[in-house]
Amino acid sequence: MGPLLLRRLLLAALGLLLAGCAAVPPLPQVERLLDDAAFAAPSEPVDAAQPFALSERMRHYLDVEIAPQLRRKGARDGLVEALASKGQLRIEYDAASTRTAAQAFDARAGNCLSLVVMTAAMARHLGVPVEFNDVVTEEGWARAGDLMVNAGHVNLTLGQRLVEDRLGRDSGRTVMVDFDPPSGRSRPLVRPIGERTVIAMFMNNRAAEALVAGRVDDAYWWVRGALLQEPTFTSSYNTLAVVYQRHGRPQQAERVLRHLLDREPANTALLANLVNALRAQGRGAEAEVVAQRLAKIEPMPPFHWYQQGVAALERRDYAAARDAFTREVERSAYYHEFHFGLALAYAGLGDFARARREAELALQHSSTGRERQLYTAKLEWLDKRRGTRVQ
């Protein structure tokens, strides 16, 4: 496995699972799930601006040390060369902690998330367009103290500066930067994510690391920051539930878990957490009911039902496509492509009202201009086809 990124936890002693979901609308106010008064003040600042902040050393490196290289090769390609060359930045992996951009630069090391944040901070300083990607990978687990961590993966895509694009230098080309590319394919399956999600990931990682270190109060403030930064990054709700459980507050853990299970009823990690939260309250019979529900859900790899839905659309089996995409939404309620698949399936079934609703959800959760154009066009098409069955 690569470096530990999106820290999704299994509390080994209690059997509490934390897993990630992609981000249905709208989530109730996050503040209703928080309890600031129950926790001591954080031992370090929790600041959303912290991850991407550039240090003076970073500025000097970009503006002075490699300035000739950037002029010669272009800002983007010069930066990529500096990252890849062992004779320059000499980047090494270190999954012990999630570093800020400045910390990763000083250490010349970090996990994938840290290195993505560092690269993005430098690229933006140079005016290079940046897009963040969540990489679809097989799930893997590793131990960290008395916790088990599930490793996710992110990378980023660098575009061309407008001034260089106008000069005709590699016009239109983008470069994907991946510090630990998945094996088995030349270009990984990714979904674009926004900066707020990246910051939430960073804070959620810091919360997980604080839990591993036994600093439950710090973990609370970090996950609180993640939730306030991006309420649709649902991994943070699972982290919050574990924080409450570690703090001896299983009732609050249950509240958080049920809050998200209303939206993702087939999320196995949430169900496993709920079993333990109920048992911690002495509600064994209720826990057993949830445990039986969990046992009936077969674990499937990422995008399994999505792929089944696409295949069903291709053979015009719209009912099967609807059922497949619905199962994906039940596991991950905020990913735009699942809703778009449902929109296509409902359109094929002639249910244009539901098709429009799903297309609206796809548009709401899209994260790139290309996606927004696609879903807006689909909405316009659906408005024209109301009352007409697709053949």
Side-chain angles (χ1 to χ4, degrees), residues 130-149:
V130 175
E131 185 175 81
F132 302 101
N133 304 306
D134 184 17
V135 182
V136 179
T137 60
E138 295 293 331
E139 289 191 346
W141 293 91
R143 293 188 64 85
D146 64 347
L147 297 171
M148 294 293 289
V149 293

Side-chain angles (χ1 to χ4, degrees), residues 67-355:
Q69 177 174 305
L70 298 176
R71 287 193 296 268
R72 184 174 66 255
K73 294 182 173 293
R76 183 196 61 201
D77 293 346
L79 176 60
V80 170
E81 181 176 294
L83 292 168
S85 173
K86 290 292 183 181
Q88 295 189 45
L89 283 176
R90 299 187 298 279
I91 297 298
E92 301 291 341
Y93 282 123
D94 181 1
S97 64
T98 301
R99 296 183 170 99
T100 65
Q103 290 168 341
F105 180 84
D106 287 345
R108 298 296 197 271
N111 61 22
C112 287
L113 181 58
S114 300
L115 300 179
V116 161
V117 167
M118 181 195 74
T119 303
M122 293 193 293
R124 287 175 170 174
H125 178 72
L126 299 173
V128 174
V130 175
E131 185 175 81
F132 302 101
N133 304 306
D134 184 17
V135 182
V136 179
T137 60
E138 295 293 331
E139 289 191 346
W141 293 91
R143 293 188 64 85
D146 64 347
L147 297 171
M148 294 293 289
V149 293
N150 186 351
H153 189 54
V154 293
N155 66 24
L156 74 168
T157 303
L158 301 180
Q160 191 71 276
R161 291 197 308 180
L162 182 59
V163 63
E164 292 172 349
D165 192 28
R166 287 174 175 171
L167 291 173
R169 176 179 284 166
D170 294 327
S171 179
R173 188 166 65 91
T174 61
V175 174
M176 181 174 288
V177 179
D178 197 318
F179 292 94
D180 185 32
S183 59
R185 53 179 177 265
S186 58
R187 191 175 181 89
L189 176 62
V190 302
R191 62 182 185 92
I193 53 177
E195 180 178 334
R196 295 180 70 87
T197 299
V198 174
I199 295 172
M201 289 175 174
F202 178 94
M203 291 183 161
N204 194 52
N205 272 20
R206 284 288 179 93
E209 290 158 4
L211 279 172
V212 170
R215 295 183 287 110
V216 180
D217 292 299
D218 282 343
Y220 172 80
W221 293 105
W222 278 114
V223 73
R224 175 186 184 275
L227 286 166
L228 294 176
Q229 181 67 204
E230 182 48 86
T232 62
F233 180 60
T234 51
S235 292
S236 299
Y237 293 87
N238 238 338
T239 307
L240 180 62
V242 171
V243 169
Y244 281 138
Q245 188 76 6
R246 271 286 183 91
H247 205 247
R249 299 174 180 272
Q251 297 92 340
Q252 287 172 285
E254 177 190 356
R255 183 184 178 196
V256 173
L257 294 167
R258 291 192 184 279
H259 162 79
L260 198 52
L261 279 166
D262 287 343
R263 291 154 179 81
E264 298 184 359
N267 188 312
T268 55
L270 293 171
L271 291 170
N273 281 350
L274 182 57
V275 168
N276 290 280
L278 291 171
R279 286 175 178 166
Q281 298 175 62
R283 295 157 61 186
E286 293 178 64
E288 183 58 28
V289 171
V290 177
Q292 292 177 7
R293 173 181 165 192
L294 174 61
K296 293 178 181 178
I297 300 175
E298 295 182 4
M300 291 292 178
F303 284 74
H304 171 81
W305 293 111
Y306 174 80
Q307 293 169 352
Q308 297 293 314
V310 170
L313 285 176
E314 290 176 349
R315 63 177 186 268
R316 298 194 176 188
D317 187 349
Y318 299 116
R322 174 200 60 202
D323 294 345
F325 289 123
T326 296
R327 295 186 76 165
E328 283 288 16
V329 168
E330 287 179 345
R331 298 198 303 176
S332 185
Y334 298 92
Y335 185 47
H336 60 92
E337 284 194 278
F338 300 159
H339 289 289
F340 186 58
L342 264 179
L344 296 176
Y346 279 127
L349 293 168
D351 191 340
F352 290 99
R354 288 183 179 177

Side-chain angles (χ1 to χ4, degrees), residues 51-65:
F52 291 98
L54 229 66
S55 67
E56 288 304 315
R57 289 182 181 179
M58 296 174 75
R59 295 178 190 276
H60 185 269
Y61 179 78
L62 295 169
D63 297 341
V64 179
E65 294 182 41

